[in-house]
Amino acid sequence: MMIPGGYEKHFPVMLPEVLQALVPADGKIYVDATFGNGGYTEALLKAADCKVIALDRDPNVVSRAQELQAKYGKRFEFRAGQFGDFAELINENIDGAVFDIGVSSMQLDNAERGFSFSKDAPLDMRMSCSGLSAADIVNTMSEQELADLIYKYGEEKKSRQIAAKIVKARSIQPIETTKQLAELIYGVIHKTPNAIDPATRTFQALRIAVNNELTELENGLKGATARLNPNGRLAVVTFHSLEDRIVKNFFKENSGPRVHVSKYAKDTPELDENVIFAETSKVISASEEEIKLNARSRSAKLRWGQKREL
């Protein structure tokens, strides 16, 4: 599979489909709301003579942003901040925005960030490198609160057993590393070949809680939509059902009913005045070819919407 822009290790998920959804054009302004390693940003800059404004709360991406600034000059601008504050960070009207929700490859590959249970590291998970960490949560939250959090954000059926195990273990010594936590989870749910790692759902729950991801997503979608020009496009890539449900419902609540119109019809149905998106996509999955090259794309889902004309 040829990845546009020559990306190798950190190529962005579903890049061809995202570009197709955004339809980059000369003279337009786009926002990459989850900059990371800059994959979507650089692809947009290469696809058209446009401007891209990138957002990210992770201070570790600044050097990559500086690299693109030097390469593309005024066509690229980086603004530090979280995409939940989209409407405050982006003052201008834009023609498109893309969100890649979840952990970036850079964060996963850096063991010290504590996002991955496959590498022993401090139990951190903070995208902004500040504030409450995952270790703070597992060592201070009550057993009931922990169980509820793991169930709500991780959809983990054995959340109560895992929470009980955590509370018992931390009474002896603090849980400070990813390995410590993963081993506790394996004591409740045993590993089986070719199955999802038992620690996945609990780690997901903690990451979402630490970074307030679902609220950030809801706020980011609203903020981006408010800044979109008529006919502007919003594309969102998610990686688990909680995120996808929010995006799906957002587009559904802000678009008209699906009506099949013959291509021979002279007129299209008028949209209700409260409808924001004139067109929304069905869910789009990564190609089999991409999944073979990048396992992370296996769970990826893309949805996009086009803002109506005034």
Side-chain angles (χ1 to χ4, degrees), residues 275-300:
V275 168
I276 297 174
F277 294 99
E279 182 181 1
T280 57
S281 73
K282 292 183 178 180
V283 66
I284 303 166
S285 300
S287 67
E288 291 184 10
E289 195 176 2
E290 177 173 353
I291 292 171
K292 289 177 183 177
L293 289 172
N294 181 13
R296 182 175 180 247
S297 67
R298 185 180 296 111
S299 59

Side-chain angles (χ1 to χ4, degrees), residues 106-140:
M106 292 174 68
Q107 291 166 338
L108 284 172
D109 291 345
N110 185 348
E112 293 305 309
R113 303 296 298 276
F115 285 101
S116 175
F117 46 79
S118 63
K119 304 165 186 174
D120 193 24
L123 190 58
D124 194 320
M125 301 191 193
R126 295 171 298 176
M127 291 180 181
S128 63
C129 298
S130 63
L132 207 66
S133 71
D136 293 328
I137 290 176
V138 299
N139 286 299
T140 61

Side-chain angles (χ1 to χ4, degrees), residues 62-137:
V62 172
S63 60
R64 173 61 173 153
Q66 291 171 339
E67 181 184 324
L68 291 184
Q69 180 73 66
K71 186 174 182 180
Y72 293 99
K74 293 181 179 180
R75 292 180 56 209
F76 172 71
E77 184 180 348
F78 177 76
R79 299 178 188 177
Q82 51 200 40
F83 59 70
D85 296 328
F86 195 108
E88 290 73 42
L89 292 166
I90 304 297
N91 301 310
E92 51 271 88
N93 291 332
I94 60 172
D95 300 291
V98 58
F99 290 74
D100 175 359
I101 309 303
V103 189
S104 73
S105 297
M106 292 174 68
Q107 291 166 338
L108 284 172
D109 291 345
N110 185 348
E112 293 305 309
R113 303 296 298 276
F115 285 101
S116 175
F117 46 79
S118 63
K119 304 165 186 174
D120 193 24
L123 190 58
D124 194 320
M125 301 191 193
R126 295 171 298 176
M127 291 180 181
S128 63
C129 298
S130 63
L132 207 66
S133 71
D136 293 328
I137 290 176

